[in-house]
């Protein structure tokens, strides 16, 4: 097990190196001049342009910029943002807490709502409850985030005045969590329902019932545990998705977050931010996947890594 | 156990302080951009950043509503007869927010650092002009010297860009720190900036050097001034409605319409100075190299109706190369080419543009009258313009592109028309759009998009810059504006308008001449 973990960790290194190289190359392949974007279309003299190019080392040949980037990244220096002139890691980690809060909120909404709808639907297939819950789940997966976000603001903020539109703290997290968690909830509900339906027909469920277990123990102890493997996979992907930020939710609710930061940085050709952002989100995917793989072994003792 | 009680205590404390904060008089501005980069006036080039910076920093001079310069930090000033220098006499006792005196040395430091390439100034350096240096005579007197006559100097000193920064703060902490922790002399002191969320300022209780045109002197009336970044138009409108913000900037015309009927809100429409939203026509490419085509476009457009329909009557059709509120605006453009589609067709027929293949688009020499126009904003307006031109047989091929793609097309001269707008207070902005040196070229993104090289225009621009009286400047700029109208190098479409909605219990909001940025110094909030 530990050996396997070690092998996986070593395997991550080339992945990250390749991703860094790709990130460096791709952002430079998009046409446009970063210095032009810093100026933002204002009229400036050639002198201003030259000064800025030198300031950000953009006057160096590309191969020099590349080796400089890789060498500095190795010691944790990812350069300064073209737009903010602040260290990239500082700019990025300023936005990260808001993203993590929204990720937690969204996943929580996803698990609570999706779990409830999915388990009930799975246990009572083809009932009216199942039909209406699956209809709700369908709405969850199909409604665009910007639309659900605006509806939530209209109902809970403007009409009912329960929750501030752009408030901070816990109150400010409620509507964005619902809005971004709806999609996860819909997906989870559908997946959990089918997983439970599959599991409930297995032999070991019949055995569990035959040995006289009460239904609650059958469902929670046997069915839920076995149904959780595909659910866990989906939740891992979902969580990694949240780590990349939720640009639309962040925009509509005027929240901080790395989603908007990355979108803006790509448009503004803020190379250092984009490079670090891609590295960070890739790492999030890689490590969350690894963690989920490890969790499999705990949930299902039959899964062994040698 | 201990820690839990500490948590409860902290929570209570937080609750108490937030209640206390509510008791303060707070005004919040809803800002439509959320990615401000710097609050250093020497470095910024963004009007969104200036909106905040204006409250924290003061200028030497400002303009009254009639556009005349009046004293602010400077008690008086003398411009040298040959326009190669200007001497300022400061008000005594001005202090930066860090308690250090704002004296002649501070101005020398500010201007020297703007001129220093290492600072990386994005706009201030250009407004400083042909700067030679600053000579300090005594604590309150200094002279700014230029390498050549510079007639537009006053128009630079009224701008926020050239506001003095605290030398002590910059030298002790560096430019990067200062960009996030601005220290000026203004009526509001910087407190915090949570990136992509909000900025908080508090009133400067020491303040007693208000500009001559302010409504009062002494500290500001409101205690706290907040800037909440809300990019989404409808969210900004919702926050205004729930009272979370008091002023909403750049509101959507549809929202403006909804708020206008509401007694709790007032609407402000500021016609911004500079260059209106204008269609620049490329004279170096077929078919816009034909003056007849360019003039026909003017005659074919019923701009008043188009702008009225597209923006629900809140915006105004442009009537000149310069926006109507700009200094030296030449009114002769209004009606120079009246709306007359029959005349447009006649001009085109006479120049040989006929629809020979019956596809509804005129052609000549076997080539269609098709004009490629990449744009990055104003898609709705351009769709309406496209439809109008189609009626007289002109195909305006509008394509929505990214900024990077647009810049590439412009630099490689692969377009026939492009959309430009400019916020400025001074007519010298025309040089950026008209001078031969500013024709774009591969690797050089510049703004003479009409690709028109003219020694006459260049000479007029140079004469205007070194003109020694405002009347002389304006008469030169009038000649220039009439000339480019006659050549039909561009078609002005719509005046840039600041659409602001604010709570009607808020009074004393003033607007800077030219760019219509809000000034919160005199603002009061009734119950």
């Amino acid at each position: 097990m530990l050996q396997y973990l070690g092998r996986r960790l070593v395997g991550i290194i080339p992945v990250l190196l390749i991703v860094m190289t790709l990130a460096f190359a791709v952002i430079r392949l998009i046409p446009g001049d970063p210095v032009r974007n810093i100026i933002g279309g204002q009229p400036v003299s050639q002198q201003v342009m030259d000064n800025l190019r030198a300031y950000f080392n953009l006057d160096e040949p590309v191969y020099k910029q590349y080796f400089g980037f890789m060498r500095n990244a190795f010691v944790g220096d990812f350069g300064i943002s073209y737009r903010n002139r602040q260290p990239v890691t500082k700019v990025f980690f300023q936005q990260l807490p808001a993203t993590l809060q929204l990720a937690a909120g969204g996943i929580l909404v996803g698990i609570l709502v999706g779990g409830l709808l999915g388990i009930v639907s799975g246990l009572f297939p083809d009932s009216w409850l199942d039909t209406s819950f699956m209809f709700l789940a369908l709405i969850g997966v199909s409604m665009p985030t910007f639309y659900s976000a605006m509806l939530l603001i209209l109902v809970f903020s403007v009409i009912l005045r329960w929750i501030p539109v752009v408030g901070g703290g816990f109150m400010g997290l409620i509507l964005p969590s619902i809005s971004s968690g709806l999609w996860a909830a819909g997906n989870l509900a559908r997946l959990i329902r089918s997983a439970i339906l599959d599991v409930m027909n297995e032999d070991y469920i019949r055995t569990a019932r035959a040995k006289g277990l009460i239904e609650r123990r059958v469902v929670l102890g046997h069915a839920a545990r076995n149904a959780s493997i595909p659910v866990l996979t989906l939740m891992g992907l979902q969580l990694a998705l949240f780590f990349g930020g939720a640009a639309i939710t962040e925009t509509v609710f005027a929240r901080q977050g790395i989603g908007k930061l990355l979108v803006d940085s790509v448009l503004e050709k803020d190379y250092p931010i984009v490079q670090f952002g891609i590295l960070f989100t890739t790492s999030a995917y890689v490590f969350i996947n690894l963690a989920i793989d490890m969790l499999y072994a705990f949930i299902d003792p039959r899964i062994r890594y040698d | 156990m201990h820690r839990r009680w500490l948590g409860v205590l902290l929570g209570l404390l937080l609750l108490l302080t937030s209640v206390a904060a509510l008791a303060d008089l707070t005004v919040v501005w809803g800002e439509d951009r959320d990615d401000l980069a710097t609050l250093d006036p020497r470095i910024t080039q963004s009007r969104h950043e200036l909106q905040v910076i204006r409250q924290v920093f003061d200028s030497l001079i400002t303009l009254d509503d009639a556009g005349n310069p009046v004293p602010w930090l400077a008690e008086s000033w003398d411009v040298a007869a040959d326009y190669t220098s200007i001497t300022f006499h400061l008000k005594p006792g001005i202090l930066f927010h860090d308690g250090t005196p704002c004296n002649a040395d501070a101005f020398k430091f500010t201007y020297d650092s703007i001129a220093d390439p290492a600072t990386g100034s994005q706009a201030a350096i250009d407004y400083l002009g042909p700067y030679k240096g600053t000579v300090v005579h005594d604590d309150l007197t200094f002279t700014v010297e230029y390498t050549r006559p510079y007639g537009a100097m006053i128009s630079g000193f009224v701008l926020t860009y050239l506001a003095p920064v605290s030398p002590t703060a910059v030298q002790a902490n560096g430019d990067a720190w200062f960009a996030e922790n601005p220290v000026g002399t203004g009526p509001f002191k910087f407190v915090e900036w949570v990136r992509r969320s909000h900025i908080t300022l508090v009133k400067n209780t020491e303040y007693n050097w208000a500009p001559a045109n302010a409504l009062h002197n002494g500290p500001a009336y409101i205690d706290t001034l907040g800037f909440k970044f809300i990019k989404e138009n409808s969210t900004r409108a919702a926050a205004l409605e729930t009272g979370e913000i008091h002023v909403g900037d750049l509101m959507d015309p549809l929202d403006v319409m909804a708020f206008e009927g509401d007694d709790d809100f007032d609407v402000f429409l500021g016609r911004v100075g500079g260059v209106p939203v204008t269609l620049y026509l490329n004279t170096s490419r077929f078919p816009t190299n034909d003056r007849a085509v360019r003039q026909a476009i003017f005659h074919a457009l019923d701009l008043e109706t188009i702008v009225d329909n597209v923006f629900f009557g809140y915006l105004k059709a442009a009537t000149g190369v310069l926006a109507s509120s700009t200094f030296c605006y030449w009114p002769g453009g209004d009606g120079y080419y009246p709306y007359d589609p029959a005349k447009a067709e006649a001009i085109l027929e006479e120049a040989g543009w006929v629809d020979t293949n019956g596809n509804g688009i005129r052609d000549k020499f076997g080539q269609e009258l098709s004009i490629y126009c990449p744009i990055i904003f104003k898609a709705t307006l351009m769709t309406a313009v496209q439809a109008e031109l189609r009626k007289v047989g002109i195909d305006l091929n509008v394509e929505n592109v990214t900024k990077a793609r647009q810049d590439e097309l412009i630099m490689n001269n692969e377009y026939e028309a492009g959309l430009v707008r400019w916020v400025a207070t001074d007519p010298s902005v025309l040089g950026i759009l008209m001078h031969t040196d500013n024709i774009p070229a591969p690797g050089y993104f510049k703004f003479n998009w009409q690709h028109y090289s003219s020694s006459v225009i260049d000479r007029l621009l140079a004469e205007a810059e070194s003109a020694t009286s405002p009347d002389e400047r304006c008469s030169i700029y009038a000649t220039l504006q009439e000339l480019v109208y006659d050549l039909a190098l561009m078609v002005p479409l719509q005046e840039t308008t600041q659409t602001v909605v604010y709570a009607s219990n808020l009074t004393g909001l003033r607007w800077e001449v030219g760019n219509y940025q809000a000034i919160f110094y005199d603002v009061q909030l009734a119950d």
Side-chain angles (χ1 to χ4, degrees):
Chain A
M1 186 78 175
L2 273 179
Q3 212 178 12
Y4 172 79
L5 187 65
R7 262 207 320 275
R8 285 283 298 264
L9 285 174
V10 172
I12 287 173
I13 295 169
V15 171
L16 294 184
L17 285 179
I18 291 169
V19 163
M20 282 168 75
T21 308
L22 280 177
F24 180 90
V26 167
I27 181 71
R28 278 168 178 75
L29 286 177
I30 305 172
D33 176 357
V35 171
R36 223 24 284 169
N37 279 277
I38 295 167
I39 306 297
Q42 294 286 314
V44 294
S45 53
Q46 193 57 42
Q47 178 200 357
V48 172
M49 302 274 288
D50 293 343
N51 289 348
L52 286 173
R53 228 177 281 283
Y55 187 97
F56 294 114
N57 294 328
L58 283 165
D59 50 352
E60 285 185 353
V62 175
Y63 74 91
K64 264 195 171 167
Q65 291 181 39
Y66 173 72
F67 287 115
F69 164 60
M70 295 300 265
R71 191 178 55 238
N72 292 335
F74 194 71
V75 293
D77 173 9
F78 290 89
I80 52 170
S81 156
Y82 294 163
R83 214 183 127 71
N84 290 325
R85 303 192 187 184
Q86 307 283 342
V88 165
T89 40
K90 181 180 157 193
V91 172
F92 195 84
F93 289 119
Q94 273 169 346
Q95 302 299 317
L96 192 60
T99 291
L100 296 183
Q101 285 165 13
L102 185 60
I107 282 285
L108 194 71
V109 169
I111 292 174
L112 288 182
V113 177
L116 180 76
L117 298 192
I119 291 174
V120 172
S121 294
L123 292 179
F124 307 102
D126 301 322
S127 64
W128 64 270
L129 258 181
D130 176 33
T131 317
S132 39
F133 279 7
M134 281 306 106
F135 181 70
L136 286 179
L138 188 67
I139 291 179
V141 284
S142 20
M143 195 187 311
T145 312
F146 72 88
Y147 188 69
S148 65
M150 284 178 180
L151 272 185
L152 288 168
I153 289 181
L154 181 69
V155 174
F156 293 101
S157 301
V158 177
I159 296 176
L160 295 173
R161 306 269 162 131
W162 287 353
I163 298 172
V165 182
V166 291
F170 178 72
M171 288 300 272
L173 192 59
I174 297 174
L175 296 185
S177 298
I178 296 175
S179 162
S180 65
L182 276 183
W183 193 75
N187 264 329
L188 273 176
R190 287 149 64 100
L191 189 76
I192 290 174
R193 176 181 182 271
S194 65
I196 285 187
L197 279 180
D198 285 348
V199 172
M200 291 306 275
N201 291 326
E202 293 283 346
D203 290 343
Y204 53 78
I205 295 293
R206 200 180 47 216
T207 311
R209 282 187 178 140
K211 65 185 183 187
L213 284 181
I214 52 168
E215 193 63 14
R216 190 166 55 88
R217 292 284 310 275
V218 174
V219 172
L220 292 179
H222 296 258
R225 191 173 178 138
N226 282 290
S228 61
I229 295 273
V231 174
L232 207 59
T233 314
L234 182 73
M235 270 168 45
L237 286 174
Q238 199 67 242
L239 189 65
L241 211 60
F242 275 122
F243 268 74
I248 293 171
T249 311
E250 288 164 14
T251 304
V252 178
F253 288 102
R255 286 180 59 81
Q256 287 186 296
I258 59 176
K260 251 189 325 180
L261 174 69
L262 286 181
V263 171
D264 287 345
S265 301
V266 168
L267 292 177
E268 281 156 7
K269 305 188 70 62
D270 197 335
Y271 298 162
I273 300 264
V274 177
Q275 285 162 183
F276 184 73
I278 293 177
L279 181 65
F280 177 84
T281 40
T282 313
S283 308
Y285 264 94
V286 169
F287 284 105
I288 288 174
N289 267 329
L290 181 61
I292 297 286
D293 284 351
M294 294 293 120
L295 267 180
Y296 287 162
F298 284 102
I299 290 174
D300 189 345
R302 286 171 302 181
I303 299 175
R304 281 270 160 267
Y305 299 113
D306 298 310
Chain B
M1 206 57 200
H2 236 75
R3 286 178 67 154
R4 185 190 296 171
W5 282 111
L6 203 71
V8 171
L9 214 76
L10 268 174
L12 272 174
L13 213 71
L14 218 71
L15 201 74
L16 278 174
T17 49
S18 59
V19 169
L22 278 177
D24 272 355
L25 214 42
T26 302
V27 167
V28 182
W29 164 274
E31 166 64 50
D32 90 310
R33 282 293 287 266
D34 58 7
D35 56 346
L36 305 199
T38 176
L39 295 180
D40 187 338
R42 301 170 303 159
I43 291 172
T44 182
Q45 47 74 28
S46 150
R47 56 185 290 222
H48 304 276
E49 289 161 10
L50 285 172
Q51 181 61 68
V52 182
I53 295 172
R54 176 78 288 176
Q55 323 302 325
V56 181
F57 291 87
D58 294 334
S59 296
L60 281 164
I61 312 172
T62 189
L63 299 176
D64 64 15
D65 287 343
N68 301 312
V70 295
W72 192 345
L73 294 184
E75 224 156 35
S76 63
W77 56 91
D78 318 296
V79 177
D82 60 356
Y83 280 77
T84 55
S85 72
I86 180 168
T87 300
F88 288 100
H89 307 278
L90 295 173
K91 286 181 190 168
I94 301 167
L95 295 176
F96 285 110
H97 299 151
D98 58 6
T100 58
C102 175
N103 52 22
D105 288 319
F107 283 91
K108 179 176 169 53
F109 172 84
T110 302
Y111 299 151
D112 285 352
S113 66
I114 289 171
D116 182 357
T119 307
S121 173
Q122 293 167 22
I125 191 169
D126 284 344
Y127 288 105
L128 195 54
Y131 180 73
K132 189 169 138 195
T134 301
V135 179
V136 174
H137 305 295
D138 59 52
D139 227 29
L140 300 178
T141 322
F142 63 92
T143 301
V144 177
E145 297 179 334
Y146 300 100
T147 55
R148 56 181 168 81
Y150 183 50
M153 57 174 89
I154 296 287
S155 67
F157 287 110
V158 303
L159 299 176
T160 316
Y161 298 115
L162 299 187
V165 300
S166 162
T168 318
V170 175
Q171 283 163 336
N173 308 291
D175 285 343
W177 178 89
F178 194 82
E180 292 192 313
N181 302 274
V183 181
T185 60
F188 292 95
K189 290 200 265 192
F190 173 81
V191 178
E192 69 161 352
W193 174 10
V194 179
R195 290 258 181 191
R196 292 172 170 267
S197 172
H198 64 273
I199 288 173
T200 309
L201 311 177
V202 294
K203 79 170 160 198
N204 175 7
T205 49
E206 311 275 310
Y207 196 77
N208 72 345
W209 42 86
N213 61 336
L215 305 179
H216 79 294
N217 198 2
Y221 295 122
I222 53 173
D223 302 297
T224 310
L225 176 58
F227 293 84
K228 175 72 194 164
F229 309 142
I230 309 174
K231 199 171 180 174
E232 175 58 39
N233 284 340
S234 55
T235 311
R236 217 155 55 247
L240 200 56
E241 211 167 314
T242 60
E244 287 167 63
I245 61 173
H246 304 84
V247 191
D249 182 27
L250 294 176
M251 301 296 287
D252 191 82
L254 262 181
D255 291 326
V256 174
M257 197 151 72
F259 281 113
E260 191 145 60
D262 192 332
D263 285 345
D264 294 338
F265 297 95
D266 284 327
V267 170
F268 174 82
L269 303 175
R271 311 281 177 215
V272 176
V275 172
V277 176
T278 304
L279 188 66
Y280 275 79
L281 301 168
N282 188 341
T283 59
S284 72
R285 279 172 68 94
F286 181 91
T288 39
N289 55 355
D290 186 344
R291 178 155 162 253
V293 169
R294 304 199 300 266
Q295 290 180 328
I297 294 177
F298 265 105
H299 286 299
L301 293 176
D302 182 6
L303 280 175
E304 266 176 51
T305 309
I306 295 177
V307 172
D308 231 43
N309 285 346
V310 173
F311 302 108
F312 309 99
Y314 290 106
L315 306 192
K316 194 169 153 276
T319 50
V321 187
L322 290 171
S324 59
S325 62
T326 319
F327 182 53
C328 296
Y329 160 76
W330 174 67
D334 196 1
Y336 197 91
Y337 295 107
Y339 171 57
D340 187 350
K343 188 164 184 191
E345 296 196 75
I347 291 176
L348 290 171
E349 303 273 334
E350 201 185 323
W353 294 97
V354 208
D355 181 13
T356 54
N357 54 8
N359 65 350
I361 307 296
R362 292 167 188 274
D363 51 83
K364 188 175 172 181
F365 313 131
Q367 279 183 287
E368 300 279 325
L369 181 38
S370 179
I371 299 168
Y372 175 56
C373 178
I375 59 165
I376 58 173
F377 64 119
K378 294 280 166 197
T380 332
L381 174 67
M382 290 311 287
T383 314
V385 168
Q386 183 180 47
E388 288 285 293
L389 293 181
R390 181 75 198 223
K391 288 181 194 162
V392 298
I394 298 174
D395 169 37
L396 186 71
N397 174 12
V398 180
E399 189 189 3
N400 236 326
V401 295
T402 63
K403 169 99 179 69
R405 176 69 185 146
Q406 175 202 264
D407 295 1
E408 192 182 51
L409 289 165
I410 299 294
M411 287 189 284
N412 296 333
N413 197 10
E414 291 167 341
Y415 66 99
E416 281 90 54
L419 216 50
V420 173
R421 74 169 154 199
W422 221 272
V423 178
T425 44
D426 194 79
S428 57
V429 64
L430 289 177
I432 296 152
L433 299 152
M434 304 280 169
H435 200 278
T436 303
D437 291 348
N438 292 332
I439 294 178
Y444 293 95
F445 184 82
K446 295 179 195 177
F447 280 90
N448 183 333
W449 288 7
Q450 64 276 27
H451 269 259
Y452 194 76
S453 162
S454 154
S455 57
V456 178
I457 291 179
D458 294 351
R459 204 190 64 230
L460 287 170
L461 287 168
E463 281 174 4
E465 195 183 299
S466 51
T468 46
S469 79
D471 286 347
E472 190 194 341
R473 273 189 90 202
C474 284
S475 105
I476 298 169
Y477 277 124
T479 311
L480 176 69
Q481 289 170 74
E482 185 169 2
L483 175 66
V484 295
Y485 243 80
D486 194 56
L487 291 164
L489 298 178
M490 74 290 114
V491 185
L493 299 176
Q494 172 231 309
E495 295 228 328
T496 303
T497 300
Q498 180 97 317
T499 48
V500 178
V501 178
Y502 59 98
S504 52
N505 62 346
L506 192 147
T507 55
L509 197 57
R510 288 193 300 118
W511 307 93
E512 197 152 54
V513 171
N515 60 12
Y516 287 99
Q517 297 209 299
I519 298 168
F520 286 94
Y521 172 57
D522 291 317
V523 160
Q524 288 176 282
L525 201 60
D527 290 331

